[in-house]
Amino acid sequence: TLVLTIYFLASLPAIKEVIYTLAPASRRARSRYLADEIFRGVSGYITGMFMIVAVASGCSFIFMNIIGLGAYSLALSFIVALFCFIPLVGSSLAMLAVALVGFATSPTIGVATIIYFLIYQQFDAYILYPTVMKRTVKVPGALVVLSALIGGILLGVIGALIAIPTTAALLLLYREVVQPHLDAS
């Protein structure tokens, strides 16, 4: 997978050029611009996800060192990071994983872990995630939450993963194609 990913990234400009030639020559420049903007939105989403995951794993690492799970904090922070890539349910799965270790250590630590993650989930869902996605993908915060919920409901985890880049692409197409056409009419 790693080799294929590196090969794909290295040949991405050539792949994009082949895709651009599928558009009629008279509209190729406009198609190239729209496709580049969509690619920029997707890369912004990926950058935003890495920022959100870094904050989640960093905060949980600090919390675990404070609460008394310092011996497991690095491994558990890595697990939190992996789970946080999954929108909507990832932070709950991370909470369960860390809480199991917390309860195995002490019931007090387990309860404190659940309380921490419940508070962090609220911060993540309503402040951090919409703010980061608004800046990196340029999708309004309310649409970030709404599109992630709708994508998750309709298509599960995959839907939640593709919801925000899809929303960004649809907003771009609306602003650049539909709105000018409506204004001209």
Side-chain angles (χ1 to χ4, degrees), residues 7-56:
Y7 180 74
F8 178 76
L9 289 174
S11 61
L12 186 60
I15 293 170
K16 286 171 36 177
E17 288 301 320
V18 169
I19 292 171
Y20 295 152
T21 60
L22 296 175
S26 62
R27 296 179 186 232
R28 198 164 291 151
R30 182 78 170 148
S31 299
R32 179 185 308 267
Y33 166 74
L34 292 173
D36 285 342
E37 288 299 311
I38 290 171
F39 281 125
R40 205 171 281 120
V42 171
S43 67
Y45 173 73
I46 293 169
T47 302
M49 281 303 294
F50 274 103
M51 291 169 58
I52 290 167
V53 167
V55 170

Side-chain angles (χ1 to χ4, degrees), residues 139-165:
V139 174
L143 279 180
V144 168
V145 173
L146 189 62
S147 64
L149 286 172
I150 291 171
I153 290 169
L154 293 177
L155 299 172
V157 173
I158 299 299
L161 284 171
I162 65 170
I164 295 169

Side-chain angles (χ1 to χ4, degrees), residues 35-109:
D36 285 342
E37 288 299 311
I38 290 171
F39 281 125
R40 205 171 281 120
V42 171
S43 67
Y45 173 73
I46 293 169
T47 302
M49 281 303 294
F50 274 103
M51 291 169 58
I52 290 167
V53 167
V55 170
S57 62
C59 288
S60 60
F61 178 79
I62 292 168
F63 167 77
M64 286 183 268
N65 278 309
I66 291 170
I67 199 72
L69 292 175
Y72 314 108
S73 62
L74 187 60
L76 288 174
S77 294
F78 181 72
I79 290 172
V80 168
L82 290 177
F83 280 132
C84 283
F85 275 109
I86 305 170
L88 302 175
V89 297
S91 59
S92 296
L93 295 173
M95 175 180 67
L96 289 175
V98 176
L100 284 174
V101 175
F103 278 115
T105 304
S106 160
T108 307
I109 292 176

